[in-house]
Amino acid sequence: MNEKLAIHGGNPTRETMLQYGKQTINQEDKAAVLAVLEENTFLTTGPKVTEFENKCKEYCGARHALAVNSGTAALHCAVAALQLEKNDEVIVSGISFVASANCVVYCGGKPVFCDVEGETLNIDALKIENLITSRTKAIIAVDFAGQLCDYAAIREVADKHRLKIIQDAAHSWGAKMGDKRVGNISDITAVSFHPVKNMTTCEGGMVFTNDRALYEKMKAFRQHGIVSDYKDREKAKQYSYEMTSLGFNYRIPDLLCALGTSQLKRLPEWIERRNEIANSYKSQIEKLNRDIGKDVVSPLTQKFPSAYHIYVIKLSSVFLPEKRDEVFSALKAEGVGVNVHYLPIHLHPFYTENLGTKRGDLPVAERAYNAILTLPIFPTIEGKDVTDVINALSKVINHYINREENT
């Protein structure tokens, strides 16, 4: 019997909304922040910033780390370090949050969007080379949903054409490829510590590199383009400073870095837990498909290690193109806080109006967008929560299948 959906007046699967993502804060985190306030010496640009940078460098193996006040700031620092000239081009993955492309525009460059792999939604390394011109300076590869891109293939293309690789690791911080962790895989890596990310500093981000010259450029860019900070001046017993380039105030407070240092201790267990939840989703989705008798839902294919920042599924053609939004609304009514990540960047009005991008430019990304939904995932989700999500998904899908069969 087709159970009545909550959106049509039936009983919801859950009484309380299960968010798609959520921070995890404990007493140790609170104590770390409170200690900074109680010491009452540095609230910003103090020792906790340096400590956080050093702990993150230690964790991932990178030579240099720069803490900033957002993941967007990290991306902006990364691209600014390349010193683009007007109309220089940077190849950018087609599905991501807009900051992955905006950082190129901030620096006077032009993002050139590359289509994605249909099974992972990561940048399609086989399509990068055809987009390279004499103006191309870098590739921004986005680890979509937390799964690492094919960096061996991307590196081969980048080295051939002498391009830098910027790894947008907003989703993948904490993941590991072979013996290397995120932060020590690409030329520059940008990480986000937004509350729904794999660990948090409230708002915040970090940029990693093994290149000293790039690091120094990013460090100056973080502080208005000034080449020395107060620590350098204290050490030299000097007061003067020089602004040699145009930069921004992207500094991050000690309070937030104290939280980040505390959170970093638990990052490995959180990544492990996210993978456990993802595996549970995968097995229950397989059972759902068997029960229905057809593949109506599919998770993204995992080709490389993933931090599972988000858990994205694709609805089959049974529901496309008009049903995804109905399924989205129906699941929300059932108490499941689904989301959609993301509208392909080239379809945002800013880019269609300013770069002339249009529908049809990235067919794989566009087809995927019409089919994807993000299910809740964060470390403190329990087994019952996952079951609730699958039960709600099954309830909604069965409703639409039965409706189609009866019309």
Side-chain angles (χ1 to χ4, degrees):
M1 184 175 177
N2 192 19
E3 193 177 351
K4 192 174 185 181
L5 300 184
I7 201 169
H8 298 149
N11 294 322
T13 303
R14 291 177 58 91
E15 292 298 328
T16 57
M17 182 66 71
L18 181 65
Q19 298 169 237
Y20 88 87
K22 186 181 179 184
Q23 70 274 5
T24 304
I25 303 293
N26 69 6
Q27 288 302 320
E28 188 178 344
D29 296 331
K30 296 174 187 177
V33 174
L34 187 60
V36 176
L37 291 173
E38 288 177 339
E39 188 178 301
N40 198 24
T41 304
F42 288 94
L43 290 184
T44 190
T45 64
K48 288 298 178 183
V49 178
T50 303
E51 180 187 358
F52 184 41
E53 290 170 339
N54 288 340
K55 291 292 184 183
C56 287
K57 278 193 300 184
E58 232 175 81
Y59 178 78
C60 72
R63 291 196 190 111
H64 307 290
L66 191 76
V68 290
N69 57 21
S70 71
T72 298
L75 284 166
H76 194 184
C77 287
V79 178
L82 303 183
Q83 297 181 312
L84 301 183
E85 296 179 1
K86 187 174 175 57
N87 295 323
D88 276 352
E89 297 172 351
V90 177
I91 294 169
V92 180
S93 182
I95 288 189
S96 183
F97 183 59
V98 291
S100 304
N102 291 354
C103 59
V104 179
V105 180
Y106 298 156
C107 296
K110 176 185 176 184
V112 176
F113 298 108
C114 183
D115 214 345
V116 297
E117 300 173 330
E119 67 273 23
T120 66
L121 304 192
N122 276 340
I123 192 168
D124 190 336
L126 299 177
K127 294 176 180 173
I128 293 173
E129 194 157 23
N130 288 338
L131 300 174
I132 295 171
T133 71
S134 61
R135 303 293 299 184
T136 307
K137 295 297 184 288
I139 301 162
I140 295 179
V142 178
D143 297 333
F144 182 80
Q147 181 175 183
L148 301 185
C149 295
D150 187 349
Y151 285 104
I154 295 169
R155 173 59 66 189
E156 188 176 339
V157 175
D159 287 352
K160 179 179 176 183
H161 295 276
R162 298 183 179 180
L163 306 177
K164 294 293 186 185
I165 299 173
I166 296 174
Q167 182 175 356
D168 183 341
H171 293 186
S172 61
W173 173 238
K176 190 175 181 181
M177 176 91 75
D179 61 350
K180 287 192 172 184
R181 290 191 184 276
V182 167
N184 192 25
I185 294 171
S186 303
D187 297 308
I188 309 176
T189 303
V191 167
S192 170
F193 301 129
H194 181 275
V196 298
K197 295 302 193 300
N198 304 341
M199 55 169 271
T200 189
T201 56
C202 297
E203 289 281 4
M206 193 167 288
V207 59
F208 299 92
T209 185
N210 290 325
D211 187 314
R212 179 79 190 182
L214 290 175
Y215 167 72
E216 293 295 344
K217 289 173 186 173
M218 293 188 290
K219 186 180 177 185
F221 191 75
R222 176 180 68 176
Q223 52 194 21
H224 305 279
I226 297 169
V227 292
S228 64
D229 60 23
Y230 85 92
K231 297 170 199 167
D232 301 322
R233 295 192 291 276
E234 285 284 325
K235 195 181 295 184
K237 300 189 183 307
Q238 294 178 346
Y239 63 86
S240 63
Y241 58 84
E242 293 179 330
M243 174 187 151
T244 60
S245 59
L246 186 63
F248 288 76
N249 178 4
Y250 280 156
R251 298 189 302 263
I252 184 171
D254 278 47
L255 284 169
L256 305 191
C257 289
L259 174 59
T261 300
S262 178
Q263 290 256 306
L264 183 64
K265 298 172 188 174
R266 307 199 300 286
L267 181 59
E269 68 186 66
W270 287 340
I271 299 301
E272 184 178 349
R273 177 61 184 144
R274 285 176 178 274
N275 273 267
E276 287 172 359
I277 297 163
N279 288 333
S280 180
Y281 270 137
K282 184 174 184 291
S283 63
Q284 293 198 48
I285 285 170
E286 287 171 352
K287 181 179 183 303
L288 183 156
N289 286 329
R290 286 196 303 272
D291 290 345
I292 291 174
K294 58 179 84 173
D295 289 339
V296 291
V297 180
S298 60
L300 298 182
T301 300
Q302 187 178 350
K303 293 167 65 176
F304 296 102
S306 179
Y308 280 108
H309 159 59
I310 52 177
Y311 193 85
V312 175
I313 60 170
K314 292 191 291 183
L315 302 177
S316 78
S317 56
V318 172
F319 298 100
L320 298 180
E322 70 280 358
K323 299 290 190 311
R324 193 276 308 277
D325 289 353
E326 290 185 43
V327 172
F328 172 90
S329 297
L331 285 170
K332 283 276 195 180
E334 296 295 333
V336 177
V338 288
N339 211 324
V340 175
H341 296 89
Y342 300 91
L343 175 68
I345 305 175
H346 73 288
L347 296 181
H348 283 277
F350 174 85
Y351 287 106
T352 60
E353 292 166 12
N354 289 280
L355 291 188
T357 54
K358 61 187 183 305
R359 289 193 183 279
D361 286 351
L362 305 181
V364 178
E366 291 167 29
R367 280 196 303 273
Y369 170 69
N370 288 326
I372 54 178
L373 281 171
T374 300
L375 303 183
I377 188 169
F378 49 89
T380 54
I381 276 184
E382 298 177 353
K384 181 186 180 304
D385 297 320
V386 174
T387 300
D388 284 348
V389 172
I390 297 300
N391 286 342
L393 188 61
S394 176
K395 178 181 175 182
V396 170
I397 284 175
N398 273 298
H399 169 85
Y400 284 107
I401 287 176
N402 291 335
R403 191 179 75 174
E404 290 297 311
E405 289 175 350
N406 293 326
T407 56

